[in-house]
Amino acid sequence: MKNYTKNTLPKIIWGNESSKQLVNELKILNIKKCFIISGNHIIHHEISQRILTDLKNAAIDYDVFSNVTPEPTDVLCLKLASMIKESQCDCVIGLGGGSPMDAAKAATLIAGIDEEIEDLHDYGKTGTKMQPEWMRPCPLILVPTTSGSSAETTASGVITSTIHHLKFSFGNQHIQADLAIIDPLFTVGMPKNATIYGGLDTLSHATENLVGTASNEYTNTMMLKCIEKVLKWLPIAVKEPDNLEAREQLSWASHNSLANGGIPNGHAIAHALGSLYHLTHGHACALVLPNVIRHFALTASNQIKDLALLMNLEIDDDPEKNANAVALYLVDFYKSLGLKTLQETFKEKDIHETNDSFASKMIPVILDDFKSKEWLPPIHTGDYHTKISKVCDMIFNEK
């Protein structure tokens, strides 16, 4: 069996009404003042408002920044870091979906970097300036309000560079939250598109980790269960947005889809799609995922066979046939939720690309993402142009 390391942070509190435990956890940490980072819509959610009331009743002071927009930028994170230092808070709370949580993670770590930052990308996973000893100046608590990003568990934040016009992974081991409180009640009634995109992001996390370079006995068991839950419960949540069981199942799957896998390989390409063509992240992930399966057909044949069995597909002796069957199942699944292929999406957006022009734009952005270095077979070595073009061509020509 393959060796693995299981992360110990963050502490996890999961379950309906678990958000009510936030104040007690703050008291345990002897917190006197919080800086809350959220979005305009979610800060007005009834559960968010109850949290603010609980803080007031407990005499815990707080400042709120509620203007985090999708795909947080380097400029925003640097601004938030300054605000954190100015507020003299002793805790930061990221409240919202992936964007507020990533912004909270990045900003809190930046607040602990004692040097002038001109280009945050230099401190990213493919940069040269991040130091492993830099730490946050205070505890970080994350409270997800969607089911999809799993940002409450990860040791990086996905940030958009306004200088380089791409998404990049930022952080070191100290960016990971101290505590995550996951209350499925936050997600009840979530809009249809947000539900779909979040569910497909979860599916991509779990599937990419299942076949990826960091897969192991622990992650494989968890990832298969997450995939099973998404395939069953996402269509139900889309049709019945107030179905509590569906929301609980998707919340559990979302959180655990990044429980320990660490490297959702296909996201290197999904981030490039999002940066270049402004596709919603969950949609981009869905377009990439079938071709991640095809690429890993030989190196992850056993895991893909397990996927085929989970999907009730016929098993073949040829691993590439199994991979293609799973890939086509995934295409049919995202289409059943109303999503369209890349070329259909480009047509709707009036984007004009050829195979070659698409690949030429994608390749440098893909290579900037550290996850592109974790593919098997590798796509970043030797004639990387041909290797990455093959993956891009499969996505571009999916029917």
Side-chain angles (χ1 to χ4, degrees):
M1 293 173 65
K2 185 176 179 180
N3 292 359
Y4 66 88
T5 300
K6 191 174 185 301
N7 297 331
T8 57
L9 284 176
K11 175 183 175 181
I12 302 297
I13 301 176
W14 184 93
N16 292 331
E17 298 191 340
S18 58
S19 56
K20 291 182 177 179
Q21 298 185 47
L22 175 59
V23 165
N24 186 57
E25 293 295 320
L26 293 172
K27 288 180 178 179
I28 291 172
L29 293 170
N30 197 31
I31 300 301
K32 304 301 182 184
K33 183 178 182 181
C34 302
F35 187 86
I36 301 172
I37 297 174
S38 188
N40 274 323
H41 174 70
I42 202 63
I43 200 65
H44 297 294
H45 192 288
E46 61 179 334
I47 299 178
S48 302
Q49 290 297 303
R50 192 206 67 225
I51 288 173
L52 297 182
T53 299
D54 289 347
L55 291 173
K56 184 177 180 180
N57 291 340
I60 298 175
D61 196 11
Y62 62 86
D63 292 330
V64 177
F65 180 92
S66 60
N67 291 318
V68 177
T69 55
E71 303 180 353
T73 66
D74 45 9
V75 173
L76 173 64
C77 292
L78 290 166
K79 174 183 176 181
L80 285 170
S82 295
M83 295 175 69
I84 289 169
K85 289 188 283 190
E86 291 171 3
S87 75
Q88 297 184 323
C89 64
D90 47 10
C91 179
V92 173
I93 299 173
L95 174 67
S99 293
M101 288 191 288
D102 277 351
K105 286 193 291 184
T108 313
L109 181 59
I110 293 167
I113 298 176
D114 189 22
E115 64 181 46
E116 192 71 25
I117 297 176
E118 294 183 2
D119 184 354
L120 195 63
H121 182 267
D122 292 339
Y123 298 77
K125 297 285 188 177
T126 58
T128 60
K129 293 188 176 182
M130 177 59 73
Q131 301 298 321
E133 65 269 19
W134 281 332
M135 301 179 66
R136 297 189 308 270
C138 63
L140 173 64
I141 297 174
L142 298 178
V143 184
T145 62
T146 61
S147 296
S149 74
S150 304
E152 71 274 7
T153 64
T154 56
S156 65
V158 179
I159 307 302
T160 297
S161 171
T162 57
I163 297 173
H164 304 281
H165 307 290
L166 49 74
K167 291 184 179 181
F168 67 98
S169 295
F170 169 83
N172 63 18
Q173 62 182 340
H174 299 298
I175 198 174
Q176 197 166 26
D178 298 285
L179 168 67
I181 297 178
I182 306 155
D183 188 340
L185 292 176
F186 254 124
T187 69
V188 173
M190 204 162 68
K192 177 181 177 180
N193 285 345
T195 300
I196 292 171
Y197 294 139
L200 291 173
D201 195 11
T202 295
L203 181 63
S204 298
H205 288 155
T207 307
E208 291 170 26
N209 284 331
L210 178 71
V211 302
T213 55
S215 66
N216 55 68
E217 290 299 316
Y218 171 75
T219 59
N220 290 355
T221 300
M222 295 294 291
M223 298 307 109
L224 283 168
K225 180 55 68 174
C226 292
I227 293 165
E228 178 185 356
K229 288 179 181 292
V230 174
L231 295 178
K232 176 180 179 179
W233 291 101
L234 180 56
I236 295 173
V238 171
K239 293 178 182 178
E240 305 171 23
D242 295 323
N243 186 310
L244 180 56
E245 184 175 7
R247 295 300 183 179
E248 290 172 339
Q249 297 287 349
L250 291 174
S251 175
W252 189 94
S254 171
H255 167 62
N256 286 288
S257 66
L258 283 179
N260 218 57
I263 305 173
N265 314 74
H267 275 51
I269 297 176
H271 289 157
L273 278 174
S275 298
L276 292 169
Y277 301 106
H278 306 292
L279 270 65
T280 302
H281 179 64
H283 189 183
C285 289
L287 297 178
V288 173
L289 186 57
N291 300 294
V292 172
I293 296 297
R294 292 184 176 113
H295 180 90
F296 282 79
L298 300 180
T299 59
S301 58
N302 289 333
Q303 297 98 305
I304 291 172
K305 187 180 292 186
D306 288 338
L307 269 179
L309 289 170
L310 178 64
M311 296 168 175
N312 295 315
L313 301 174
E314 185 175 343
I315 303 298
D316 196 279
D317 291 334
D318 183 345
E320 292 187 336
K321 287 185 178 179
N322 290 334
N324 192 56
V326 170
L328 292 176
Y329 180 101
L330 291 169
V331 173
D332 287 342
F333 184 72
Y334 77 65
K335 284 184 176 180
S336 73
L337 297 170
L339 270 65
K340 298 185 177 180
T341 63
L342 184 66
Q343 288 202 39
E344 292 172 328
T345 303
F346 278 178
K347 185 175 181 180
E348 284 188 347
K349 290 176 168 284
D350 197 28
I351 296 172
H352 303 281
E353 296 285 13
T354 64
N355 269 18
D356 290 343
S357 66
F358 175 64
S360 66
K361 292 177 182 177
M362 290 281 288
I363 288 170
V365 185
I366 292 170
L367 287 173
D368 185 79
D369 194 309
F370 82 101
K371 295 183 181 71
S372 68
K373 315 300 189 293
E374 303 292 343
W375 285 54
L376 285 175
I379 59 174
H380 68 291
T381 58
D383 184 8
Y384 63 83
H385 189 280
T386 297
K387 295 177 183 179
I388 301 177
S389 290
K390 182 179 179 180
V391 177
C392 290
D393 288 349
M394 286 192 289
I395 298 167
F396 189 83
N397 292 302
E398 192 80 75
K399 300 297 184 184

